[in-house]
Amino acid sequence: MVYSTVVSNKPADPAEPIFYRDMPTPLGQMRLVASPKGLRGAWFTDQDLLPSAESWTLADANPILEQARRELDEWFAGQRRTFDVPLDPIGTTFQHKVWHALCALDFGKLVSYGDLARTVGSPKGAQAIGGAVGRNPIIIIIPCHRVIGADTSLTGFGGGLPRKQALLALEGNRYVSRTARARRVCDGQAELPW
C-alpha cells in the first residue's frame, strides 16, 4: 500500500482540487474522495462523519477514484486481500501512526485497542487509539473494522455494527450478533446454543 502523506495535520488547502464519486457496494453506497496525491477518503454515504461534497468536483473518470473503486469491487468479490491505491488522508501525527499500523494488519487479522496501542508505542493509550480509529477517513482500505475489544467483542464502528460484522465475515471472522458486546465465534461454535 502506498501511503502518500507522511503527516498532514493541517486542514486541506482550499485551492487543492478534490474529486469524488459514489459507488455501490454490497453493504451500501460509498463515497470515494481523492486529492491529486491519493485517496483522501472513503465513507459509506450514511456515515455521520461524511464531509460535505460542496467544494469537491464530481469525477467518475479520475484515475485514483477508478483504482479505488476497482480494488474495492475486487475485495468485496473475494479476489483481493490488499490494496494498492495510493493514500492521502488528513490527520494528526498520532492518527497517521495508528492508520499506518492498521494498514500493516494482514487480511483477517484482528487486533484489540490495547494491542494496537502497544504497537504504536503508547501502551496506556487504548482510549486515544479508539479516537484515532474512529476518525479513520478511509474505511475498509485502512482496515479499522479489524479492531475489536480485548475480549473479542465487536465494540463500535463508524459504518455501523451490521457492516462491521459483514466486513469481518468477508475476512473469515464470525460474529452471530450485531451488538457491540458480541464476541467472535471460534470455528464450529456458531451453531452452539449458548
Side-chain angles (χ1 to χ4, degrees):
M1 175 165 316
V2 179
Y3 207 112
S4 299
T5 302
V6 176
V7 175
S8 182
N9 57 5
K10 298 181 279 185
D13 176 357
E16 179 181 45
I18 300 295
F19 304 96
Y20 80 98
R21 72 173 292 175
D22 291 348
M23 68 172 281
T25 76
L27 299 178
Q29 195 80 351
M30 284 186 76
R31 176 155 298 154
L32 306 176
V33 179
S35 73
K37 294 182 276 188
L39 192 65
R40 177 69 53 89
W43 297 270
F44 288 103
T45 56
D46 60 356
Q47 280 186 250
D48 290 338
L49 294 177
L50 177 68
S52 167
E54 186 178 309
S55 61
W56 302 339
T57 302
L58 181 62
D60 287 336
N62 178 282
I64 293 168
L65 295 175
E66 179 53 30
Q67 181 180 355
R69 184 210 54 80
R70 185 183 73 255
E71 290 182 10
L72 281 164
D73 281 345
E74 291 167 358
W75 187 87
F76 276 111
Q79 300 165 344
R80 172 178 288 277
R81 290 182 166 223
T82 61
F83 294 93
D84 300 316
V85 65
L87 304 181
D88 186 34
I90 299 284
T92 66
T93 301
F94 181 74
Q95 288 169 336
H96 280 278
K97 219 172 168 181
V98 172
W99 300 338
H100 273 278
L102 288 172
C103 288
L105 289 174
D106 290 333
F107 180 88
K109 172 105 166 112
L110 303 181
V111 66
S112 72
Y113 292 94
D115 289 339
L116 193 54
R118 286 184 285 282
T119 298
V120 300
S122 298
K124 295 183 180 181
Q127 195 168 19
I129 293 291
V133 168
R135 287 177 184 79
N136 171 21
I138 305 177
I139 204 162
I140 299 173
I141 295 171
I142 297 178
C144 57
H145 61 277
R146 295 179 187 155
V147 182
I148 59 171
D151 62 355
T152 76
S153 58
L154 279 176
T155 66
F157 182 62
L161 291 179
R163 284 188 182 125
K164 182 171 184 171
Q165 181 188 32
L167 293 170
L168 293 175
L170 281 169
E171 296 185 358
N173 293 289
R174 295 183 63 199
Y175 284 81
V176 293
S177 171
R178 294 179 175 172
T179 66
R181 296 178 146 245
R183 295 200 176 134
R184 188 170 66 91
V185 177
C186 295
D187 294 339
Q189 290 184 340
E191 287 70 43
L192 294 178
W194 57 86

